[in-house]
Amino acid sequence: MLEAEWTESDVYKNTVARFNKAAQTINLDPNVAERLRHPKRALVVSIPVRMDDGHIEVFVGYRVQHNITLGPAKGGIRYWPDVTLSEITAMAMLMTFKCALVGLPLGGAKGGVRCNPTLMSRGEKQRLTRRYTSEILQMIGPDKDIPAPDLGTDAQIMAWLMDTYSQDIGHAVPSIVTGKPIEIGGSLGREEATGRGVIYTVIEAAKHLGVTLDESKTCAIQGFGNVGTACAKKIAKIGCRVIAVSDMSGGIYNSKGLDVQELLDYAKGNKTFEGYKGGDRLSNKELLEIPCDVLIPAAVSSVITKENAPRIKCKILAEGANSPTMIEADPILKENGTFVIPDILANAGGVTVSYFEWVQGIQKLFWNEKEVNSRLWEIMSTTFRKMIHVAAEENVDPRTAAMISGIRRLSKAMLVRGFYP
Ligand code: NAD
């Protein structure tokens, strides 16, 4: 079944190629390198779900654990129409390096179900989540593998996952997931943590480049879901103008700046930006090419390619999404002087506060939001500076430097634990 499921995706090829580049730069032990090119485990499941019209539809789902040397596997679950095993494997690899980079005692995993959540009712999504959870139940656990929200999933889905797991075990197990609602043990600050973390790295990048983030600076954001909306709120709060945002149906542009709160309210009551009066419509393609100071892709993978990279005119590209930039675009962006904050750092705020949520759940001692945010700032800003230091030391770009930092920490742990059997 696994082999039948495997078609190598661009995002998988990109991830392995970027890993190889970092591994070669530091002459990584070839045995460690070979191990890290493969996931530890991958599970493919069929998920029969009774749809509202009475028929049963069978969805395909995955859970992949890439590495668990440093601790339990950690990674989101996405519900998306083009989810594949290869893409989920690449995302699990990225999670391994992300957790190692920011210094968390966690490994890397990812899960996904091939479905279109925008076309499913609440009841269908609940039944899908419960059956998917029961199919992957043997693989997950608070000390084994802890899921979280990702593309197309949210706190409610995590609550159903937590409930299904807890029903099976016989008592409440809040630490089985992160990104869950506050009422069942979620952490304050988790919902906005990924976007907040993205902007923390933008603040550090601006400092590094000698740029002042004020109202003369503009920002464009692709994707207006969990990550995109939190980015918009935070960057508007520090005084920059958000000039364009988009969702899957296209975007909205206003050179004078969009009213972020008004947009959030509009998005709550409407499925698309169609009819919104505060700006002009633009396509997702146009949004990426808009001249701006900060561009944040916060939707899907592989949107920045060798074709559009020459037309990208931002100073800072902060990768809120996972793997939004194809490897062929990297040298073009560098040539054009774009400073790229790579995904494994830029969007690491999500897994960092997920880690805080897991710790709070285990200790049954909850922190206030100020404490969550200040610990997040500490980790994101320190890791940014570490990345810059490694980039200078190894004479590499920030993306390779971030990868090197993660690989170094992980490889030391793998070598000291030794090889089994
Ligand atoms: P989400 O489902 O909440 O939102 C996704 C948004 O992207 C929606 O507004 C959707 O309309 C839009 N979108 C979908 N396809 C698009 C397209 N082709 N062009 C433009 N917009 C499109 O998802 P999210 O949780 O915000 O995740 C977004 C990205 O961030 C993903 O790549 C995810 O892996 C990454 N990420 C998320 C988290 C997290 O905590 N949620 C953490 C780290 C990384």
Side-chain angles (χ1 to χ4, degrees):
M1 191 173 187
L2 267 184
E3 266 179 31
E5 277 293 333
W6 188 265
T7 334
E8 207 154 85
S9 60
D10 286 339
V11 48
Y12 179 80
K13 282 188 231 158
N14 281 342
T15 308
V16 173
R18 283 176 174 144
F19 167 76
N20 286 341
K21 184 177 172 191
Q24 270 161 19
T25 308
I26 56 168
N27 289 320
L28 182 66
D29 181 311
N31 294 319
V32 171
E34 183 53 13
R35 162 62 190 88
L36 290 174
R37 286 186 195 103
H38 305 274
K40 181 174 177 64
R41 306 185 178 105
L43 180 65
V44 183
V45 296
S46 299
I47 312 160
V49 177
R50 190 173 296 281
M51 306 304 277
D52 290 346
D53 66 4
H55 88 281
I56 289 179
E57 191 147 335
V58 181
F59 296 90
V60 179
Y62 311 99
R63 186 71 186 169
V64 177
Q65 295 170 355
H66 174 257
N67 188 279
I68 55 168
T69 301
L70 294 168
K74 188 87 191 77
I77 290 175
R78 52 175 56 180
Y79 287 176
W80 212 247
D82 56 10
V83 158
T84 63
L85 178 59
S86 163
E87 179 204 50
I88 296 296
T89 304
M91 296 289 152
M93 278 177 99
L94 286 175
M95 283 305 295
T96 297
F97 302 126
K98 192 182 298 182
C99 292
L101 166 67
V102 293
L104 306 179
L106 297 167
K110 200 78 170 190
V113 177
R114 201 180 304 144
C115 65
N116 189 342
T118 62
L119 302 179
M120 294 170 75
S121 70
R122 181 184 160 91
E124 288 169 342
K125 283 192 277 192
Q126 175 166 183
R127 293 191 288 279
L128 173 79
T129 302
R130 290 189 181 279
R131 184 61 189 253
Y132 171 62
T133 306
S134 81
E135 295 296 342
I136 63 164
L137 205 101
Q138 301 308 319
M139 204 165 165
I140 58 174
D143 295 316
K144 294 203 286 193
D145 181 352
I146 309 128
D150 193 70
L151 204 56
T153 55
D154 57 15
Q156 178 61 73
I157 305 257
M158 296 306 113
W160 291 326
L161 196 159
M162 178 268 182
D163 184 66
T164 308
Y165 185 87
S166 300
Q167 296 293 347
D168 190 83
I169 300 287
H171 58 89
V173 190
S175 300
I176 180 60
V177 283
T178 57
K180 57 191 169 288
I182 303 290
E183 294 79 0
I184 54 169
S187 176
L188 292 168
R190 172 59 184 92
E191 202 176 342
E192 298 197 341
T194 309
R196 181 179 285 273
V198 171
I199 304 307
Y200 284 171
T201 62
V202 170
I203 293 171
E204 281 297 325
K207 249 193 256 170
H208 172 69
L209 300 170
V211 172
T212 309
L213 291 173
D214 56 21
E215 64 177 18
S216 69
K217 303 299 180 305
T218 54
C219 175
I221 303 170
Q222 184 184 64
F224 209 57
N226 174 283
V227 182
T229 53
C231 286
K233 279 196 267 185
K234 183 71 187 153
I235 203 156
K237 201 168 170 199
I238 62 175
C240 298
R241 272 179 297 141
V242 177
I243 56 166
V245 300
S246 68
D247 63 13
M248 64 200 306
S249 69
I252 205 93
Y253 169 74
N254 187 333
S255 62
K256 295 196 187 85
L258 295 157
D259 183 331
V260 172
Q261 191 50 53
E262 200 179 276
L263 269 174
L264 287 165
D265 294 341
Y266 193 86
K268 264 188 209 144
N270 299 275
K271 281 201 162 161
T272 70
F273 293 119
E274 196 65 61
Y276 179 70
K277 299 274 185 287
D280 301 322
R281 293 302 313 257
L282 88 173
S283 69
N284 267 300
K285 189 173 165 287
E286 289 165 332
L287 180 138
L288 293 172
E289 296 172 14
I290 249 175
C292 61
D293 295 286
V294 181
L295 174 65
I296 307 178
V300 288
S301 307
S302 309
V303 290
I304 300 176
T305 62
K306 66 175 188 305
E307 279 75 35
N308 65 2
R311 295 189 297 276
I312 285 180
K313 301 179 199 82
C314 61
K315 290 192 184 69
I316 298 172
L317 173 67
E319 295 185 334
N322 281 308
S323 207
T325 309
M326 307 267 289
I327 197 162
E328 300 81 11
D330 285 346
I332 305 170
L333 294 170
K334 191 175 176 198
E335 178 77 24
N336 289 349
T338 301
F339 184 89
V340 178
I341 312 172
D343 51 3
I344 60 168
L345 173 60
N347 69 35
V351 72
T352 301
V353 178
S354 273
Y355 163 65
F356 297 163
E357 181 177 329
W358 180 65
V359 167
Q360 292 171 77
I362 289 168
Q363 296 187 341
K364 315 232 179 311
L365 180 66
F366 291 88
W367 312 345
N368 62 38
E369 195 163 354
K370 204 167 152 213
E371 189 169 359
V372 170
N373 292 342
S374 77
R375 284 180 190 250
L376 175 63
W377 165 255
E378 184 61 32
I379 289 179
M380 298 302 289
S381 56
T382 311
T383 311
F384 182 92
R385 290 194 294 272
K386 187 166 88 182
M387 176 185 79
I388 294 299
H389 179 77
V390 173
E393 205 176 57
E394 300 289 346
N395 193 23
V396 291
D397 55 88
R399 187 191 303 285
T400 310
M403 199 71 143
I404 286 175
S405 289
I407 293 171
R408 273 197 180 129
R409 174 163 181 256
L410 179 61
S411 64
K412 280 183 195 157
M414 286 170 74
L415 290 169
V416 80
R417 277 186 61 165
F419 187 66
Y420 175 85

